Amino acid sequence: MNVWWRSLLTIWRAKVLLHRRGPIPPHSVGRIRLRTMPTDIDLLGHMNNGRYASLFDLGRFDLLIRTGIWDAMNAQGWYAVVASESVTFRKSLQLWQRFTVESRLYGHDDKAVYQIHRAVVDGEVYAEMIVRARFLRRTGGVVNTEELFEALHRPDDLPPLPDWITEWAKASALPSTKSPAPSVWS
């Protein structure tokens, strides 16, 4: 329930900022301030590793709304899904500790947009996640990124993806939903 309230507050705040200031460029860094709550803590007394993904979702909501992508998606009947993600931890967030979730669209290929999310305390990165997100149609099918930028009425000014991200995406991919994917352990 804790993340539900944070989600609603984040969405409301992002919509207010979009209304007041207009859309931000897709390459902007979004920032939201959070605090580690008792429901975020695991048995070891620090933020649970799984909670990072949920809280980084808040950064994603903020960024999608404030860039105008959220409204364009809704107008077209599209939605975003996470296709893959990888997180690296440096330091632990403790109970009641304040931190900032920084989020940025990092680039794209023909089918997916890549985002970086960071948990930052006093300018220092505690954790970082890379996310590969795809846009799907409610009626079925994938929205390619060319169509996404066309719907935004914006130029595609995101930088090219670094080679390591392209390699990560290939290495972490599972078979298509139309292909068999048996669970076989070697």
Side-chain angles (χ1 to χ4, degrees):
M1 196 60 177
N2 181 14
V3 178
W4 276 98
W5 289 115
R6 290 187 202 178
S7 296
L8 292 173
L9 287 171
T10 299
I11 290 168
W12 174 79
R13 177 189 167 270
K15 287 185 176 214
V16 167
L17 288 172
L18 175 65
H19 179 73
R20 286 185 185 164
R21 300 180 185 167
I24 60 175
H27 60 273
S28 299
V29 176
R31 291 178 176 85
I32 58 172
R33 301 266 301 146
L34 297 172
R35 183 184 295 269
T36 308
M37 304 300 286
T39 52
D40 300 329
I41 301 301
D42 65 15
L43 294 174
L44 298 175
H46 58 244
M47 176 123 67
N48 178 282
N49 63 303
R51 184 64 84 177
Y52 283 87
S54 295
L55 296 179
F56 287 159
D57 277 348
L58 302 180
R60 191 162 28 263
F61 294 155
D62 175 72
L63 199 60
L64 288 174
I65 292 168
R66 293 182 56 218
T67 57
I69 295 173
W70 183 281
D71 287 340
M73 287 172 26
N74 287 330
Q76 298 289 333
W78 302 338
Y79 62 99
V81 295
V82 172
S84 52
E85 62 190 12
S86 179
V87 63
T88 304
F89 303 100
R90 257 190 91 243
K91 287 186 171 184
S92 296
L93 289 168
Q94 304 300 319
L95 181 62
W96 305 119
Q97 187 170 12
R98 284 190 170 277
F99 64 99
T100 301
V101 171
E102 295 181 348
S103 302
R104 180 175 170 229
L105 292 171
Y106 202 60
H108 65 84
D109 57 27
D110 59 332
K111 292 182 182 174
V113 172
Y114 296 79
Q115 299 171 322
I116 300 283
H117 301 286
R118 294 177 177 163
V120 177
V121 176
D122 296 327
E124 183 179 6
V125 177
Y126 275 47
E128 182 176 82
M129 176 183 276
I130 179 143
V131 174
R132 180 175 179 264
R134 297 182 72 182
F135 295 89
L136 304 176
R137 300 176 202 288
R138 294 199 188 283
T139 57
V142 176
V143 177
N144 65 45
T145 49
E146 183 178 314
E147 191 175 0
L148 173 67
F149 280 98
E150 185 178 307
L152 287 173
H153 306 293
R154 288 201 158 160
D156 171 8
D157 62 351
L158 293 175
L161 285 173
D163 290 340
W164 74 267
I165 291 183
T166 304
E167 293 304 316
W168 166 78
K170 287 179 189 171
S172 63
L174 290 173
S176 143
T177 56
K178 294 179 173 77
S179 300
S183 176
V184 178
W185 297 91
S186 53

